[in-house]
Amino acid sequence: MNDLMIGFMLLLLLVAAQASINGDTIKRSDFPDGFLFGVSTSAYQIEGAYLEDGKSVNNWDAFSLSPSNIEDGGDGFVADDHYHRYLEDIETKQALGVDVYRFSISWARVLPKTRFKIFGDRVKHWITINEPNLFTQMAYKNGKYPPARCSPSFGNCSAGNLDIEPLIVVHNMLLAHGKAMKIYRRDYQASNPLKS
């Protein structure tokens, strides 16, 4: 995201905050033509359907099985049950006037049977790794996400090295992104009618 976009988003947040303080109402017409109102989700937080339709265990499934890893002992086995209720959820988004919906699909649902091609004719834009900066910080600095690695000053982890591991993780995420894009372009993009 470039600095201009970040600045614009901050300005919109300030306008919304000021309107809230003044008791004003914010309307769609207050935004420029072409402005998209959108929402996004993360697969593990909403998907549910643990091990249904060929999904295998992912790192969050395994991580949440240890009660000490999740503060309230919860898991994503049902979550918001978006897997079964997606039509109802989409209707709700439409009723709210949402223009775009960015959702994620668990890699453990796509990869076990190389089902990347099942979604290729339905998905126009792909993100290979969701929030890589957050994952790196929370999993390899603070130790709050799987595999829960950190240096002693940042958490109570059994192992980790803050000086080296986050750099290795970012390096490998970049390599994984590059490989995924190469495979997509080579094997799937040509047959994707939605490609832009």
Side-chain angles (χ1 to χ4, degrees):
M1 188 177 307
N2 64 36
D3 290 341
L4 181 62
M5 184 58 100
I6 292 171
F8 184 68
M9 289 173 59
L10 289 173
L11 178 62
L12 288 176
L13 288 173
L14 288 172
V15 167
Q18 186 61 45
S20 176
I21 290 168
N22 294 339
D24 295 337
T25 316
I26 299 175
K27 302 176 292 301
R28 251 184 200 272
S29 59
D30 294 335
F31 294 87
D33 289 340
F35 187 88
L36 297 175
F37 291 86
V39 295
S40 65
T41 59
S42 173
Y44 192 75
Q45 295 168 351
I46 69 154
E47 191 175 74
Y50 174 68
L51 300 182
E52 285 187 42
D53 294 332
K55 180 186 169 288
S56 62
V57 175
N58 64 39
N59 60 347
W60 274 104
D61 294 330
F63 187 72
S64 67
L65 289 174
S66 175
S68 63
N69 286 335
I70 307 296
E71 194 171 305
D72 67 357
D75 59 51
F77 296 169
V78 175
D80 291 334
D81 201 23
H82 186 64
Y83 191 83
H84 297 113
R85 301 175 60 182
Y86 70 94
L87 291 174
E88 177 186 341
D89 292 345
I90 289 170
E91 285 178 7
T92 300
K93 288 170 188 52
Q94 288 175 332
L96 292 171
V98 171
D99 299 312
V100 293
Y101 174 36
R102 197 263 7 207
F103 72 101
S104 65
I105 301 169
S106 173
W107 280 110
R109 190 173 299 287
V110 176
L111 288 180
K113 300 190 181 201
T114 61
R115 298 175 357 168
F116 226 147
K117 58 189 165 205
I118 291 175
F119 302 102
D121 65 342
R122 298 176 199 146
V123 179
K124 185 173 182 179
H125 302 289
W126 292 89
I127 298 173
T128 54
I129 300 170
N130 185 41
E131 299 178 336
N133 58 332
L134 182 64
F135 168 74
T136 303
Q137 178 177 343
M138 296 303 288
Y140 290 89
K141 177 184 174 190
N142 299 346
K144 301 287 185 191
Y145 289 3
R149 298 183 62 83
C150 63
S151 293
S153 60
F154 285 94
N156 188 17
C157 301
S158 60
N161 184 335
L162 176 62
D163 295 329
I164 297 170
E165 289 181 354
L167 299 174
I168 294 170
V169 168
V170 169
H171 173 77
N172 284 312
M173 281 195 279
L174 290 171
L175 291 176
H177 167 75
K179 187 167 186 169
M181 287 307 302
K182 183 178 180 181
I183 291 169
Y184 173 75
R185 287 180 179 140
R186 182 188 69 213
D187 299 340
Y188 303 104
Q189 187 175 23
S191 63
N192 182 350
L194 294 176
K195 69 180 180 178
S196 49

